[in-house]
Amino acid sequence: MPEPNRQGEVWVFAEQEEGSLNEVALELCGKARELADRLGVQVGAVLPGAGVKDLAPRLIAQGADRVYVVENPCLGHYQTQPYARVLTTLIERRRPQIVIYGATPLGRDLAPRVASTLRAGMTADCTDLEIDNVVEAKSKQEHPNLLLQIRPAFGGNIIATIVNFDWWPQMATVREGVMALRPPDPSRTGEVIEEKVEISETDLALKLIRRHLEPRKVNLKGARVIVAGGGGVGSKENFKLIYDLAGAIGGAVGASRAAVDSGYIGKEHQIGQTGTTVRPALYIAVGISGAVQHRAGMEDSAKIVAVNKDHDAPIFSVAHYGIVGDFKQVLPLMIKAIKEK
Amino acid sequence: MPYDSIVCVKQVPDTANVTAEAMKEDGTVNRGALPAIFNPEDLNALETALEIKERHGGTVTAVSMGPPKAGEVLRECLYRGADRAILLTDRRAAASDTLATSYILSQAIRTIGRYDFVFCGRQAIDGDTAQVGPQCAEKLGIPQITYLEEVVAIQDRRVQIRRNMGHGWEIVEAALPVLVTVIASANQPRPPSIRRVMRLKKAKVIAELAAEVKDRMPDAAEEKVQAEAQRRAEELKQRGLLIEQWGLDEIHADLARCGMAGSPTKVHRIQAIVLKKEGFVSVPDTEEGIRGLIHELVVDRTLG
């Protein structure tokens, strides 16, 4: 086991498919930037694929200092072993101290295979990452600047913080939509580095027979935070505030049937008996009266915040926090408070 | 052509159905009080293996790593049609993370020897990591196919599998052996066969026998307990009812790669989620009120 490389970069696996980046990779660039600034190191993004080099500037605009591009025709369609070969080779070559992946079906297929080859730690499905000093309970040894890998476990009944003292790199997958997507900064500059990785015949163990992809849907089921608007939002234009709050908080946008029927937002956002049933960590209901059909689709959320003008609205009967007031005033205050936190 | 499958199964606390008995006064969950169940997606993995056996012939071997009590899920495997069951149990394996667990399981699979398929449930409901399957595949040096929804075809030692990619699917083909992880929508697991329950309900691992003997003779010396357990094990073996039990020595495991010593990740802190629902907290619609709310949500980790 080599010594931890404390000067190592913070890396993001830049997941892409058919030449377009998965949004979670952009979210992670922002988080990696924050972690790297705290550590005083650089952010690297690993971008394997075929014909993907043009995606590098977007990763730089989201916070990467270096993009390691690995172009190879056999990386055109994702397959576990060739992609794992790319990651393990580059990690051994460049020795980052942290590597984060989106907790997508692809990321959760790839990351453990990489960790197993490197004999490094891997924490699945994190909802937060922090840097802090940690004192080892048994030896009382202090480990400076470790990655705290925070995740729900036990069916969401506990929150565990996982650390990796010295079997580096420290690696984790991070749930989609949890880290706020920052606005891109096109003026940022960075380096694009083309890396060569040898991919052997045995790495190409799978043959793709057929594939059927659906357009990415609104990911309400997997969202940790949902901001939902109802008939009380009043117009399509007003729904922009719902989107703004969801963007600031790193959440998905939901809606009640009344909002969908009024044409404020598409049906794919509908929550309730006739829409999607959700149980996020936080559900913010804005201008939703809380008909029983809606409540049936969201009342198991861990925390519910209701914003409504009418203090008799039934939504308050399932809420943990209630704000009686005008959402046009309340939401901007919430966005401000989140940005300041 | 017959195919031999190994299925990895786990006994887990039923985290999805928290009972009133398991709720503590302070609103947190007493994990020890949750009932122990067969990890749901491992049943789908077992079903996949049993269907292959029915269609093509071959064998199904179930392996579980855990305390002696995990003998329960191995009996469940036998009731449903598994030919052989092996319990991996060893105090030195306690506190293994996914890397150490996958190392131990892969050593057991190597010890079993011949196989065409290794099946695992996608993930266990206590940790939800979905890592042990892929890590086992890497340790065994074989391809992995995750999120199986359907076995499309098996022919001439090649398999085609349809895997769910979250927003679509793909059919991939691989030469055997492969490790496959199975999701809940793949099939409807069969119930235990009554006839097999009748025949196999006395099947046990030796660790369970030792616990029984200890219960019966609480004051007996350890040696005597072991001797009696050994005698009962011989008797079960004669009747084909002894579930095999292996420790780390039987699978030639490197102890530095097992248990706490072999686990890179350590649990630094556990916070219990406190569930309360006694009316709602009224938040004033002022800047201060809302800042207080957001702060509270950050402190209890609802917000990252």
Side-chain angles (χ1 to χ4, degrees), chain A residues 17 105 108-109 113 116 151 159 161 163 207 209-212 214 224 303 320-322 336 341, chain B residues 127-128 138-139 144 146-147 167 169-171 173 266 268 271 281 283 287 296 300-302 304:
Chain A
E17 199 167 52
R108 298 183 72 180
D109 177 85
R113 184 112 190 174
S116 180
R151 68 183 302 259
I159 298 283
T161 300
V163 293
K207 192 167 123 195
I209 306 293
R210 196 153 12 117
R211 162 180 288 211
H212 170 78
E214 284 147 19
R224 196 173 129 75
K303 285 272 162 62
H320 302 87
Y321 297 94
K336 186 160 174 241
K341 84 171 180 278
Chain B
D128 290 323
E138 193 280 330
K139 302 254 172 285
Q144 70 196 50
T146 48
Y147 324 130
H167 61 295
W169 51 264
E170 66 183 12
I171 296 174
E173 185 182 295
K266 312 283 179 205
H268 170 52
Q271 285 169 273
V281 177
V283 179
E287 179 156 0
E296 218 168 288
D300 72 9
R301 290 214 174 279
T302 298

Side-chain angles (χ1 to χ4, degrees), chain B residues 161-181:
Chain B
I161 284 170
R162 180 159 58 90
R163 60 188 292 268
N164 183 312
M165 299 193 296
H167 61 295
W169 51 264
E170 66 183 12
I171 296 174
V172 291
E173 185 182 295
L176 302 178
V178 290
L179 182 143
V180 180
T181 76

Side-chain angles (χ1 to χ4, degrees), chain A residues 337 341, chain B residues 290-300 303:
Chain A
K341 84 171 180 278
Chain B
I290 286 165
R291 188 174 298 147
L293 167 65
I294 299 295
H295 180 72
E296 218 168 288
L297 293 173
V298 169
V299 168
D300 72 9
L303 289 178

Side-chain angles (χ1 to χ4, degrees), chain B residues 245-266:
Chain B
Q245 176 180 325
W246 294 355
L248 294 178
D249 302 324
E250 282 84 355
I251 60 172
H252 309 290
D254 173 357
L255 295 182
R257 296 179 67 180
C258 302
M260 190 77 100
S263 299
T265 59
K266 312 283 179 205

Side-chain angles (χ1 to χ4, degrees), chain A residues 159-239:
Chain A
I159 298 283
T161 300
I162 310 291
V163 293
N164 171 355
F165 294 122
D166 39 22
W167 298 34
W168 283 19
Q170 306 163 91
M171 300 202 284
T173 62
V174 177
R175 202 175 284 186
E176 293 172 85
V178 169
M179 303 302 172
L181 179 61
R182 292 160 196 230
D185 175 2
S187 67
R188 285 197 83 243
T189 54
E191 216 180 326
V192 179
I193 300 164
E194 295 194 38
E195 292 273 2
K196 286 266 167 293
V197 174
E198 194 76 35
I199 291 165
S200 71
E201 200 59 39
T202 51
D203 289 333
L204 298 165
L206 300 191
K207 192 167 123 195
L208 178 65
I209 306 293
R210 196 153 12 117
R211 162 180 288 211
H212 170 78
L213 290 182
E214 284 147 19
R216 281 188 187 277
K217 280 203 224 106
V218 187
N219 186 10
L220 287 172
K221 278 250 180 260
R224 196 173 129 75
V225 179
I226 293 174
V227 184
V233 175
S235 71
K236 203 169 180 172
E237 292 66 48
N238 286 351
F239 240 86

